[in-house]
Amino acid sequence: VIDVYDVFSQCDLIASLIGHAGAITGLDWSKDSKHLQSSDDNGVIRYWDAPAGLQIMDGLDKMKGLPWVTWTVKAGWAVTGLKARLQNKNIQALCRSNKGDVLATVDDFGLVQLYSFPVLSAEVKSKRYAGHSSNICNCQFTYDDSMLVTVGGTDQA
């Protein structure tokens, strides 16, 4: 369940978005703050009309050109070049830079990879960095994109 609150009121609950069978792994707002895209650990991506609390059927087609504030979902048109790696579930998390030109992925093997965003081809090259001694759980760019912060798993770094 994804709960949506109106932070300009008394943080009133305005919608509960129900539909994912697995744990939510990515969640992004559209720039107009009317839509959400979410992904789960089963690789399912869903699109939502947030204020109405409704899932948008055929969202991949309908939402393709919509600008997103962030990109953390592990599916969708902008990461089609990573499909094989995402299906193998090696990628633990991903995030797009705030400027919108770089995508970072972190994986089970302690690697950080940086791609030009969007990643539309499996042949695209990346810059690879050894980030941790074991799996990396998450990543996020700083507000000005000057740094990428990663969170380790079993290495507790």
Side-chain angles (χ1 to χ4, degrees):
V1 175
I2 301 168
D3 287 333
V4 180
Y5 294 89
D6 182 349
V7 297
F8 293 113
S9 66
Q10 298 292 322
C11 287
D12 295 330
L13 177 66
I14 60 172
S16 289
L17 311 177
I18 300 169
H20 284 288
I24 307 294
T25 58
L27 182 69
D28 303 304
W29 280 100
S30 62
K31 286 195 176 184
D32 65 6
S33 296
K34 294 180 181 177
H35 300 93
L36 283 170
Q37 64 178 1
S38 57
S39 61
D40 65 29
D41 59 3
N42 295 321
V44 175
I45 185 170
R46 298 194 186 279
Y47 297 91
W48 308 92
D49 177 329
L54 300 173
Q55 183 178 342
I56 299 169
M57 299 307 189
D58 300 322
L60 183 59
D61 294 328
K62 293 177 182 174
M63 300 285 124
K64 184 175 181 180
L66 194 66
W68 298 96
V69 176
T70 57
W71 194 287
T72 61
V73 297
K74 294 195 269 181
W77 73 270
V79 293
T80 53
L82 299 176
K83 187 173 183 178
R85 289 197 58 218
L86 290 165
Q87 286 176 336
N88 290 338
K89 298 193 177 191
N90 293 336
I91 295 176
Q92 289 293 312
L94 55 83
C95 68
R96 189 196 65 206
S97 64
N98 296 303
K99 186 177 174 184
D101 60 341
V102 176
L103 183 79
T105 66
V106 295
D107 67 23
D108 285 338
F109 309 110
L111 292 176
V112 176
Q113 290 187 256
L114 301 177
Y115 299 87
S116 291
F117 185 84
V119 186
L120 302 178
S121 166
E123 310 303 319
V124 70
K125 296 189 187 267
S126 68
K127 292 184 179 181
R128 297 170 53 117
Y129 303 93
H132 293 261
S133 63
S134 66
N135 67 311
I136 305 173
C137 295
N138 213 336
C139 62
Q140 186 63 53
F141 284 94
T142 56
Y143 77 98
D144 62 357
D145 292 334
S146 64
M147 292 181 272
L148 177 71
V149 179
T150 61
V151 179
T154 56
D155 67 358
Q156 300 178 356

